[in-house]
Amino acid sequence: MSPLQLLWFLLLAVLFIGFFVLEGFDFGVGMATRLLAKNEGERKQLVATIGPHWDGNEVWLITAGGAMFASYPLWYASLFSGFYILFFLVLVGLILRGVSFEFAAHAQSRSGRDIWRWALFVGSVIPPFLLGMIFTAIIQPLTIDGKMDIYASFGEQVNLLTIVGGVAVTLMCFMHGLNFIRLKTTGALRTRALAYNRVLIWVLYAGAVVFAILVYLSTDFFVKRPVSSAIIVGLIVLAIVCEHIAIVKNREGLSLIASGSALALVVVLIFNGLFPRVLIAKDAANSLLITQASASNLTLTIMTGVTVVLLPIALAYFIWAYVVFHKRVPELS
């Protein structure tokens, strides 16, 4: 394995971490428009908290997909063809959410606005749930032939671990969104978000235990990489404990950092367990390795050069956007 192959495996992990941490609270706020807000004014207040950021945060997923296509084309081809329906539904959810902002703002009737507010909710639930299912499906052995084509059965895509993974990621995004709401709003929403998280944190503890047990039983993570897997699981639990402490003490910034860290560590656990593979086959000889799936050294070299130039610019933009829109959003009528 060359240094560039390892570098781009790590960069893909970073891109997916960026997506789940930043877009995660956007999804959570979208869910909160129905689960937390009690009237249209509060829904407008919630939408205003993510209005300047949601489309930029979504770029992390687009960039991750594009980077996978360029750096690991065989991984991209096998993954997206094998889970075509689930990825298609993720896209439907993202489209629903994207158009809902504009259509709700220009709706000429209350019923029309309500339809698009529901579209925002549905479009905020579908992507994290299905992406959680996809990521937990690929850490289990799949039916892959010698040509690296995936023939994943319904049971390989929908099973206890993938369902728990989907629910866990959705819950973590919702709580992450509630922490963001506490940091970005004033009034009743801020107080109610804290009350919700004080209850949901116990559900998250139970979910984390079930998820860890299923990962131990359904994957080879604790056989192939026992020490690092155990450490990462421990760090996930530690992040949840820190989130709990921050919620109890009403430390809003620390709550957001802790919930984001928990989401990031779930991605780290997946990439750590996959390494040096990118897809795990039931027949170990057909597992797709980093060395097999990567593009040429020339392609990786060019991509690295472009990244060195463009990444600082992109990060500067993101930081600038959050600095400019750092103020709390007041209650709206």
Side-chain angles (χ1 to χ4, degrees):
M1 183 186 304
S2 71
L4 285 177
Q5 288 173 329
L6 177 59
L7 173 64
W8 276 97
F9 183 78
L10 295 176
L11 285 177
L12 284 175
V14 170
L15 289 171
F16 280 111
I17 287 171
F19 170 73
F20 279 107
V21 171
L22 295 175
E23 190 73 339
F25 64 70
D26 290 338
F27 289 140
V29 172
M31 296 179 220
T33 58
R34 284 294 167 185
L35 300 177
L36 183 71
K38 293 186 175 181
N39 53 59
E40 181 59 22
E42 290 186 343
R43 293 186 187 100
K44 288 181 179 178
Q45 186 181 5
L46 289 177
V47 169
T49 64
I50 60 174
H53 308 299
W54 72 267
D55 49 352
N57 292 340
E58 200 170 274
V59 171
W60 286 84
L61 181 61
I62 298 170
T63 305
M68 182 184 289
F69 172 78
S71 60
Y72 288 97
L74 288 182
W75 186 10
Y76 177 93
S78 297
L79 179 63
F80 278 76
S81 61
F83 293 88
Y84 181 85
I85 294 176
L86 292 183
F87 276 116
F88 175 78
L89 293 175
V90 169
L91 181 60
V92 170
L94 292 174
I95 291 172
L96 272 177
R97 189 178 67 119
V99 301
S100 69
F101 294 104
E102 195 71 17
F103 287 2
H106 290 86
Q108 297 182 354
S109 66
R110 180 176 178 179
S111 60
R113 185 180 62 240
D114 285 345
I115 289 173
W116 292 111
R117 290 300 190 208
W118 275 108
L120 171 59
F121 172 76
V122 172
S124 298
V125 172
I126 290 176
F129 178 75
L130 293 183
L131 287 171
M133 289 187 67
I134 293 169
F135 272 90
T136 47
I138 67 172
I139 64 178
Q140 301 176 80
L142 299 168
T143 303
I144 304 176
D145 65 14
K147 297 180 180 180
M148 303 305 171
D149 291 325
I150 297 178
Y151 296 93
S153 66
F154 179 82
E156 289 174 343
Q157 298 186 53
V158 183
N159 53 58
L160 186 58
L161 177 56
T162 63
I163 292 173
V164 169
V167 172
V169 171
T170 305
L171 175 61
M172 293 173 78
C173 286
F174 181 48
M175 295 185 66
H176 194 38
L178 292 175
N179 289 328
F180 184 75
I181 291 167
R182 291 167 54 208
L183 191 66
K184 288 290 293 180
T185 63
T186 61
L189 279 176
R190 183 183 176 195
T191 304
R192 209 177 304 140
L194 177 61
Y196 271 48
N197 263 355
R198 283 178 171 167
V199 175
L200 290 174
I201 191 68
W202 298 106
V203 181
L204 185 59
Y205 276 128
V209 171
V210 173
F211 179 73
I213 292 172
L214 289 174
V215 168
Y216 180 82
L217 295 176
S218 303
T219 73
D220 61 4
F221 284 14
F222 289 89
V223 175
K224 298 286 187 180
R225 312 186 73 79
V227 176
S228 57
S229 296
I231 291 173
I232 297 168
V233 169
L235 289 175
I236 293 173
V237 174
L238 179 61
I240 296 173
V241 171
C242 289
E243 183 180 1
H244 190 182
I245 294 172
I247 290 170
V248 170
K249 295 187 176 182
N250 198 18
R251 298 284 298 277
E252 296 163 342
L254 182 58
S255 297
L256 187 67
I257 292 172
S259 57
S261 298
L263 277 166
L265 286 165
V266 170
V267 178
V268 172
L269 176 66
I270 291 170
F271 274 77
N272 174 76
L274 284 174
F275 185 85
R277 306 158 297 182
V278 291
L279 289 172
I280 304 170
K282 289 183 175 179
D283 181 353
N286 292 335
S287 292
L288 186 58
L289 305 178
I290 290 175
T291 51
Q292 298 171 307
S294 72
S296 67
N297 189 66
L298 176 60
T299 300
L300 296 179
T301 301
I302 294 173
M303 289 177 62
T304 303
V306 172
T307 301
V308 169
V309 174
L310 296 183
L311 184 60
I313 299 173
L315 290 177
Y317 167 78
F318 272 95
I319 294 171
W320 174 81
Y322 281 96
V323 170
V324 170
F325 296 100
H326 71 281
K327 295 182 179 179
R328 293 182 184 271
V329 177
E331 297 179 79
L332 302 173
S333 59

